[in-house]
Amino acid sequence: ETVPSGNGLSTTAKMDSDGDGTFERTQQSTTVLNADGSETTSTTERGANGTVYRSSSIQISDDGRTRTETWDENADGTDDLTTLTTLELSLDGIETVTTERRSADTALLSTAATVTSADGRSVTQTTDVDGNGNADEPRVPHLDDAGTSTLTESYFSSGGPQLASAQSTTSADGLTRTYEIDRNGDETAEHVVSDDTTLAQDGSRMRVIAHETGRGAQLGREEYQISDDGLTQTSRLDVDGVAGFEFLSEETTTYEEDGDGVRHQSTRDA
């Protein structure tokens, strides 16, 4: 059960996880509106005997651009984890959101940054997963004038060299997708996946997923014929790119009078 205070600044939640009538856990949150316009929310969690076993706090600046969260995981009075999130808006409209995670001794654990262009069409995300100052996982999406979106993801080692990358491209109507995967960081795609959906006049759709090497050799192919209501699907699977399809699967879904759905699926050699 959850009981809010009359002014909405305090909430008490009690949880009985096994239905025996005893609340094993009580969580109390209190928000204080500070004189400088900021607000602080403190949360305390107690066991059935009233002993505090965890606490946390959230402090938000008056302009909402700075958020500090702390967690004391064992109720010893020391913050085990602190997260600081800041929002910066430049004069040209570029928005930068940065998040830092620090341990109890203030050592930097990780950082993440998201930079959004003024028109919102470009969003670049970088992550330093180990706090060493190097961006380990940058993500760079792009939307062109035709509505085609491209997302590039790169993965780096702690020393800086690129380990792998992936790029996905989606057409404006969402019916065509292409994935290119570079597994060893040599800037050459070893695995290319094309995912195309065709809409028929009767409302059904055909989805074809083709797997190829970077040189165009076939690795496999999937075909899905789906009815207009989505209740019937026929699938064909080529697992090795050689000599056609190996498996054929048929799947139907029916609904009984009580609303229960029943799915029937059969798979056989093609």
Side-chain angles (χ1 to χ4, degrees), residues 13-270:
K14 297 182 179 181
M15 285 145 279
D16 174 11
S17 59
D18 53 13
D20 64 352
T22 299
F23 294 111
E24 292 84 18
R25 176 183 171 194
T26 300
Q27 181 183 80
Q28 185 172 24
S29 297
T30 303
T31 299
V32 177
L33 305 179
N34 303 310
D36 60 0
S38 64
E39 64 179 56
T40 303
T41 300
S42 301
T43 301
T44 302
E45 299 180 49
R46 300 177 184 272
N49 62 359
T51 302
V52 177
Y53 66 88
R54 183 187 298 134
S55 63
S56 62
S57 71
I58 301 174
Q59 181 160 351
I60 303 174
S61 62
D62 59 340
D63 58 7
R65 294 188 177 185
T66 302
R67 179 186 179 98
T68 304
E69 300 181 57
T70 62
W71 290 268
D72 177 3
E73 295 291 345
N74 53 9
D76 64 353
T78 299
D79 294 328
D80 304 294
L81 177 66
T82 300
T83 299
L84 173 64
T85 302
T86 57
L87 167 65
E88 296 181 5
L89 188 62
S90 65
L91 294 176
D92 54 4
I94 297 177
E95 179 183 281
T96 302
V97 178
T98 305
T99 300
E100 294 182 350
R101 297 173 65 252
R102 295 183 180 273
S103 62
D105 60 359
T106 72
L108 183 63
L109 299 175
S110 66
T111 61
T114 301
V115 180
T116 305
S117 62
D119 59 8
R121 297 174 64 178
S122 177
V123 181
T124 301
Q125 297 175 307
T126 57
T127 304
D128 172 12
V129 297
D130 51 14
N132 68 347
N134 295 323
D136 306 300
E137 300 177 4
R139 304 176 76 246
V140 184
H142 175 71
L143 181 67
D144 65 18
D145 293 334
T148 299
S149 63
T150 302
L151 174 63
T152 302
E153 300 179 85
S154 302
Y155 304 89
F156 293 85
S157 67
S158 59
Q162 180 170 295
L163 298 176
S165 65
Q167 179 173 288
S168 61
T169 303
T170 305
S171 62
D173 58 11
L175 298 178
T176 300
R177 295 182 174 88
T178 303
Y179 306 90
E180 299 182 7
I181 303 169
D182 170 17
R183 294 193 176 99
N184 56 8
D186 65 355
E187 299 185 358
T188 299
E190 289 83 27
H191 190 181
V192 178
V193 181
S194 61
D195 185 341
D196 297 297
T197 299
T198 303
L199 305 179
Q201 292 184 350
D202 61 0
S204 63
R205 60 189 184 274
M206 170 67 81
R207 182 183 180 190
V208 178
I209 303 174
H211 301 261
E212 297 180 349
T213 67
R215 297 182 177 181
Q218 291 189 3
L219 297 173
R221 183 181 177 91
E222 307 163 53
E223 291 187 359
Y224 302 92
Q225 180 72 48
I226 305 169
S227 63
D228 59 340
D229 56 10
L231 299 179
T232 302
Q233 174 177 293
T234 301
S235 310
R236 297 195 297 173
L237 179 62
D238 172 14
V239 297
D240 55 12
V242 179
F245 296 96
E246 286 81 28
F247 300 103
L248 173 65
S249 177
E250 296 177 338
E251 180 180 314
T252 60
T253 301
T254 58
Y255 289 94
E256 300 177 345
E257 293 182 356
D258 59 2
D260 290 341
V262 179
R263 189 179 73 171
H264 300 272
Q265 182 177 15
S266 63
T267 301
R268 63 178 185 273
D269 293 339

